[in-house]
Amino acid sequence: MTQPVLLDVTKGVAKITLNRPERGNAINQPMADALMDLALRYANEPKVRCVVLTGAGKMFCVGGDISDFANNDVGTGAFLGRLAGTLHQAMTLFASMKKPMICLVNGPAAGAGLSMAISGDIVLADPSAHFTAAYLGIGLTPDGGMTWLLPRLVGMRAAQEIILTNRRVGSAEAADIGLITRLVKEGELEREGADLADQLTSGAVTSMGAARRLLQESFASGFASQMDRELTSITAAGESPEGREGISAFLERRAPDFRKHPKE
């Protein structure tokens, strides 16, 4: 039986590949379960310094496998509750882990596939990629964190249009409006993704984790309270192995070696 998700761990990078290309990498329960297992395993694995998420074949992910929604023994609501609930737990773990996450969008992303595609700290996309909310076309509402992520990335007005009209956003426009980080040249996604992962894993990963947490908290925080969080964070960073190495390297006019100081 084909594995719904593939895993490759190399040089501190855990690359996770959605692997149902014949179904557009549609999310079924086995795929959601596999993502949950990998999130539990690698979110807190110190030897893994970066997580990469991509899709097999020509599509990133078309969202939930609609053929499963009605063809089950528990009813559509209960089925969706388990499927979305499992996916949400996995995405929460990925969002809160103390290491960066890269999404390589190799093709179209729709529904929860769109939610996953834009969940990375850095999102690179192939020119063939396009993005569609898709939910209201089948009478459902967004999941996968879409209503949290979209307004923060593109603004409320654009998020409203994308979700309510199901308008397709092309890859070039996605880069222009901030839905993705950068559009790469055709055929260059894997190479650019590997270069980026190598750059991040060579960096101060513990500090990256703290920075991503500060960014996530900032929208729910006032200016003064956010600066208090920054103060607590930079104080801790200054006493950390990474902080000591970074400062020493700067004063000694050499490149820091953060790999010798693994995450605490």
Side-chain angles (χ1 to χ4, degrees):
M1 183 176 179
T2 302
Q3 295 296 316
V5 176
L6 301 179
L7 172 70
D8 177 74
V9 181
T10 305
K11 296 181 179 179
V13 178
K15 183 179 181 182
I16 298 169
T17 303
L18 308 177
N19 189 43
R20 300 185 72 211
E22 75 287 351
R23 300 286 298 171
N25 295 321
I27 305 165
N28 60 5
Q29 192 62 50
M31 178 182 282
D33 291 339
L35 287 169
M36 180 63 180
D37 289 343
L38 292 175
L40 284 168
R41 183 175 178 181
Y42 290 106
N44 295 303
E45 169 53 64
K47 293 182 180 179
V48 168
R49 298 171 63 82
C50 178
V51 172
V52 175
L53 178 65
T54 191
K58 296 182 178 181
M59 294 188 176
F60 177 79
C61 176
V62 298
D65 195 330
I66 299 174
S67 64
D68 288 350
F69 290 3
N71 299 324
N72 59 77
D73 298 329
V74 297
T76 303
F79 177 85
L80 286 172
R82 182 186 174 204
L83 180 64
T86 306
L87 179 65
H88 288 185
Q89 290 179 63
M91 293 186 68
T92 297
L93 285 168
F94 286 132
S96 61
M97 65 185 179
K98 298 177 181 179
K99 64 192 72 174
M101 180 170 175
I102 300 169
C103 289
L104 303 179
V105 189
N106 57 298
L114 168 54
S115 301
M116 287 196 293
I118 63 177
S119 67
D121 299 293
I122 301 177
V123 181
L124 307 183
D126 184 84
S128 66
H130 55 73
F131 304 84
T132 312
Y135 293 95
L136 295 179
I138 56 172
L140 298 178
T141 56
D143 67 346
M146 185 181 294
T147 57
W148 193 94
L149 288 163
L150 265 184
R152 286 162 171 78
L153 293 172
V154 303
M156 181 60 79
R157 283 294 178 226
Q160 288 169 319
E161 182 193 21
I162 289 168
I163 291 174
L164 298 181
T165 70
N166 283 329
R167 180 174 75 83
R168 176 183 292 185
V169 179
S171 56
E173 182 187 358
D176 288 341
I177 66 177
L179 188 63
I180 63 173
T181 307
R182 188 168 74 250
L183 180 62
V184 304
K185 293 180 180 179
E186 184 177 356
E188 293 293 304
L189 185 64
E190 285 294 321
R191 183 190 63 79
E192 292 218 22
D195 289 346
L196 177 59
D198 183 65
Q199 175 188 341
L200 293 180
T201 56
S202 298
V205 170
T206 301
S207 295
M208 289 181 203
R212 79 195 300 254
R213 184 176 65 251
L214 285 168
L215 288 167
Q216 291 168 355
E217 293 171 344
S218 66
F219 285 92
S221 177
F223 184 56
S225 60
Q226 185 66 12
M227 285 196 295
D228 287 341
R229 289 190 176 97
E230 291 180 343
L231 176 61
T232 299
S233 184
I234 197 171
T235 301
E239 293 295 332
S240 71
E242 284 185 352
R244 292 193 294 271
E245 167 64 8
I247 293 169
S248 295
F250 179 84
L251 294 174
E252 296 166 11
R253 297 185 179 181
R254 60 176 175 82
D257 186 356
F258 293 116
R259 289 182 182 271
K260 287 186 176 180
H261 300 277
K263 288 157 44 59
E264 294 179 307

